[in-house]
Amino acid sequence: MSKIPVMEIFGPTIQGEGMVIGQKTMFVRTAGCDYSCSWCDSAFTWDGSGKHLIRQMEPEEIWKQLQELGGVGFSHVTISGGNPALLKNMDGLVELLKGNGIKLCLETQGSKWQDWMMEIDELTISPKPPSSGMITNYEALDGIIERLSTPSFKGNVSIKVVIFNDDDFEYARNIHKRYPHLPFFMQVGNEDTVTMDRSELVSCLLAQYESLIEKVIADPELKEVKVLPQLHALVWGNKRGV
Ligand SMILES: C[S@@+](CC[C@H](N)C(=O)[O-])C[C@H]1O[C@@H](n2cnc3c(N)ncnc32)[C@H](O)[C@@H]1O
Ligand SMILES: Nc1nc2[nH]cc(C(=O)O)c2c(=O)[nH]1
Ligand code: SF4
Ligand SMILES: [Mg+2]
C-alpha cells in the first residue's frame, strides 16, 4: 500500500506555464506544501481550505481516473501541487505512468529532492522570490540543480521565477546568473487569484506582461530569457481545474 494524497485530477487541458506551454496535458495535483507563498494560486492544497477534497489514492486508482477523464486522448501528465517533491512514494505512480508511455512534467519549487525526479521528462524548478515571503535554501537548490545537471538525468529541466515587483526581478536575475546553463523563464505574477471578473483580470495580467517584457528588453544582461504569462489565466481566469 502506497497511497498518495491527491487534491485534484483534471484535464485534458493545456500546460499554461513554462517550457512546454501549450502542451495538451492531464494534471495530478497533490496535497501539502512545505512553503506558504503569500500569493499562492493553489493555497487550497496546503491552507486547510481544501482538506475535504483530499483523497488517498493508489497509483492504479490515479491512472484509472486519468483514463476516465482523458480517454485515449492524452499522452502527457503534469504533476503539481502543493509540492509533489514532499512525497517519497510518488515513485510508484511515476513508474506506472511511464510504463504506459506517458510523458511526465513536474512542477516543484526546488526545496526537496526525491530520486523519482530523475524519471521526469520535463522538470520545472520554480524558486520563490521575496514577494512570496519565502527564503530560498540555496544549499538545497544547488544540490537539486546539480543532480539534474548530470548526464544520468535524461529529461529537460528549466527554471521559472514568478515576478511581482522589482525585488523579484532582481532575485530572478541572480537565479539566472547562478544557473546560467539552464533554460530560464520569467512568469507574470497574478495578484488577484480570487476574482471571477475574467476581463478585468486579463487586462491587468496583460498590462503586467507588457511591463515585464519592457524590463527584460531594457536589461542588457538578460539575453537567454523567455518571458511568459500564465496562459490558462488569460483563457480561463481563476477557474479551478483547468
Ligand atoms: C501552485 S505551484 C505548485 C508547484 C510548486 N509548489 C511550485 O511552486 O513550483 C505551480 C506554479 O504556479 C506558480 N504560481 C503560484 N501562484 C502564482 C500566482 N499568483 N501568479 C503566478 N504564478 C503563480 C508557482 O510559482 C509555480 O511555478
Ligand atoms: N493549465 C494549467 N497549467 C498549469 N501549469 C502549471 C500549473 C500548476 O498549478 O502547477 C497549471 C494549472 O493549474 N493549469
Ligand atoms: S511553493 Fe508552490 S504550492 Fe507551495 S505555496 Fe508556493 S506557489 Fe503554492
Ligand atoms: Mg496553477
Side-chain angles (χ1 to χ4, degrees):
M1 295 265 278
S2 198
K3 292 189 192 272
I4 295 161
V6 176
M7 203 73 204
E8 54 178 2
I9 297 176
F10 62 91
T13 181
I14 53 139
Q15 168 56 276
E17 303 178 16
M19 68 171 143
V20 291
I21 192 164
Q23 169 69 48
K24 185 179 182 184
T25 188
M26 303 292 293
F27 274 84
V28 176
R29 192 183 299 285
T30 60
C33 194
D34 46 326
Y35 279 14
S36 52
C37 301
S38 60
W39 36 252
C40 179
D41 64 9
S42 305
F44 65 100
T45 62
W46 53 265
D47 69 1
S49 63
K51 218 175 161 185
H52 59 291
L53 300 172
I54 301 171
R55 283 190 296 161
Q56 300 290 337
M57 297 175 79
E58 293 283 349
E60 288 74 15
E61 270 181 277
I62 297 172
W63 174 228
K64 208 174 133 214
Q65 172 125 37
L66 285 166
Q67 288 175 294
E68 271 166 26
L69 285 170
V72 294
F74 70 96
S75 58
H76 195 278
V77 172
T78 302
I79 300 170
S80 186
N83 187 6
L86 290 175
L87 303 167
K88 190 173 166 54
N89 68 349
M90 285 290 283
D91 52 356
L93 179 66
V94 168
E95 207 177 303
L96 180 65
L97 294 178
K98 294 287 292 179
N100 280 282
I102 300 294
K103 273 205 168 184
L104 286 181
C105 177
L106 175 71
E107 301 273 341
T108 188
Q109 64 263 40
S111 58
K112 305 275 176 195
W113 172 260
Q114 296 294 346
D115 287 340
W116 54 259
M117 285 161 65
M118 291 303 277
E119 308 307 318
I120 299 294
D121 298 287
E122 287 131 6
L123 204 159
T124 292
I125 302 281
S126 181
K128 296 298 176 264
S131 66
S132 68
M134 300 298 109
I135 306 286
T136 303
N137 176 344
Y138 283 101
E139 210 178 299
L141 187 59
D142 286 350
I144 291 167
I145 303 276
E146 207 171 298
R147 285 169 197 250
L148 296 171
S149 303
T150 62
S152 49
F153 177 70
K154 305 289 183 216
N156 297 305
V157 57
S158 72
I159 303 263
K160 175 176 75 187
V161 182
V162 176
I163 315 279
F164 285 84
N165 58 36
D166 290 350
D167 285 350
D168 291 356
F169 191 84
E170 192 51 33
Y171 171 91
R173 287 172 96 256
N174 288 328
I175 288 281
H176 180 45
K177 275 192 203 161
R178 194 175 181 102
Y179 311 112
H181 63 295
L182 295 184
F184 176 63
F185 292 79
M186 283 179 154
Q187 173 166 302
V188 175
N190 176 4
E191 278 168 10
D192 187 348
T193 57
V194 294
T195 181
M196 283 297 150
D197 185 338
R198 193 179 61 122
S199 53
E200 165 75 14
L201 177 66
V202 168
S203 51
C204 280
L205 290 173
L206 286 177
Q208 281 164 298
Y209 186 32
E210 186 176 6
S211 46
L212 184 55
I213 292 169
E214 278 164 6
K215 286 195 73 168
V216 171
I217 288 171
D219 192 325
E221 278 193 36
L222 288 173
K223 298 183 183 72
E224 288 301 312
V225 48
K226 294 187 175 69
V227 188
L228 286 176
Q230 285 180 301
L231 198 51
H232 54 101
L234 296 182
V235 177
W236 295 296
N238 288 321
K239 192 173 162 193
R240 193 178 291 178
V242 289

